[in-house]
Amino acid sequence: MKKKLLMTILLFSLLLGGCGTSGDSSSAVVDNTDIWEDDSEDENTELDDMEDELLDETQETEPLMTYELENTCTGISDAGNGYKAEYTISVTNWIRASNPETLQDIWESIGGKNDLPDISSFHELSNDGFTNENAAVAFGTLSFRNITDGFDFTESNPRTFRCILDAHDIYMKGHYVEGYIEYSNNHQYINLWEIGMSSVLSANMTHNSWGPVPLMLVCSNAYTPDNPNGDEVLNDCKIKCGYPAADDLTLILEPDTVESDSSADTVSADETSEDSYLN
């Protein structure tokens, strides 16, 4: 009898142990569910990463327009009595003026502080071809530096230097070219198609460096029904620089089908000017 009771108790204990094992197994199922959910999240993350990579590749293949001051001319300006300064003019290529916001962004990127004037404000007497639809623009900077050996330019020993921008060759091909330059306390419109006093850029130097100051050139009728992609004659015309002209610039037409990348390779305006005003 005792043996039977003992065997019954032992069998009952084994049955209880089996129920415990079944409970542990149930807990393991819950854990697997958690792991499956984590795996699903990982797969979603991997899909997101793949989509980001594909988007990045698509963006990298889109051409980005950058406006660099890639055309440069230099020359020597003589103020008399042996005082000399070297000027440097750097400009972009011709850009279609169809997007005023893009033009303003580029203007600010080269140091422009005030709003850029409307294209229609150039050549006001006839407004011949100076509109956003048909004009081309170029942006740039002008600077001077003292190259007079042994003599500094100071408040007590200032010197005024000049240079001229001459686009008469472009005018002979049927296009007016005018300009706009911004000094620290004023601005000036420039006539490049008919050389005279309005074509002269002046720098009153009270330090050994002056500028760079931002400037803008505008060419009329670059884009017309006869030349919807731009008058290619501009690619072969020169803008002479100097006083008298000692160097020249050749600006080519940039394609107008690509938007500007305002964060990219435009020239920074970090360089500050000690002298940047018109005499």
Side-chain angles (χ1 to χ4, degrees), residues 231-249:
D231 189 352
E232 293 184 357
V233 72
L234 294 174
N235 295 336
D236 300 319
C237 293
K238 298 183 183 303
I239 297 177
K240 297 179 181 179
C241 312
Y243 188 65
D247 204 348
D248 53 49
L249 297 166

Side-chain angles (χ1 to χ4, degrees), residues 26-218:
S26 173
S27 175
V29 171
V30 174
D31 290 342
N32 286 338
T33 302
D34 292 340
I35 293 172
W36 172 255
E37 290 175 353
D38 290 342
D39 287 342
S40 176
E41 291 175 1
D42 290 341
E43 287 180 4
N44 290 336
T45 302
E46 290 177 1
L47 289 174
D48 291 340
D49 291 340
M50 290 175 63
E51 290 175 357
D52 291 341
E53 290 176 3
L54 289 173
L55 180 61
D56 291 340
E57 290 177 1
T58 303
Q59 291 175 340
E60 289 174 0
T61 58
E62 294 177 355
L64 296 175
M65 178 66 72
T66 59
Y67 297 106
E68 299 179 351
L69 305 185
E70 54 191 304
N71 307 292
T72 300
C73 69
T74 59
I76 306 300
S77 181
D78 192 334
N81 296 318
Y83 290 101
K84 298 180 184 295
E86 180 184 62
Y87 63 83
T88 300
I89 302 172
S90 300
V91 294
T92 66
N93 287 319
W94 291 120
I95 306 163
R96 190 165 190 172
S98 56
N99 190 335
E101 292 183 358
T102 297
L103 303 187
Q104 181 65 33
D105 288 343
I106 301 172
W107 176 247
E108 293 175 5
S109 76
I110 62 171
K113 300 296 188 296
N114 300 319
D115 288 342
L116 199 63
D118 292 334
I119 301 298
S120 60
S121 64
F122 292 86
H123 207 55
E124 292 178 339
L125 292 179
S126 68
N127 195 28
D128 181 13
F130 285 93
T131 65
N132 289 96
E133 289 72 24
N134 58 24
V137 299
F139 294 92
T141 59
L142 167 67
S143 60
F144 285 81
R145 69 179 184 89
N146 181 12
I147 57 170
T148 308
D149 189 22
F151 291 85
D152 292 330
F153 302 152
T154 63
E155 296 282 350
S156 60
N157 184 39
R159 287 294 180 271
T160 298
F161 295 90
R162 299 177 175 86
C163 70
I164 287 180
L165 290 177
D166 175 1
H168 188 71
D169 288 349
I170 297 178
Y171 172 66
M172 296 301 293
K173 301 293 186 181
H175 303 277
Y176 294 99
V177 178
E178 298 187 4
Y180 175 87
I181 187 167
E182 182 183 277
Y183 302 95
S184 61
N185 60 353
N186 61 11
H187 62 266
Q188 177 190 1
Y189 284 88
I190 314 161
N191 177 353
L192 280 70
W193 55 274
E194 186 177 28
I195 301 304
M197 289 306 297
S198 62
S199 306
V200 176
L201 303 176
S202 298
N204 184 28
M205 298 184 67
T206 58
H207 296 82
N208 288 326
S209 62
W210 182 98
V213 295
L215 63 89
M216 171 189 186
L217 305 180
V218 185

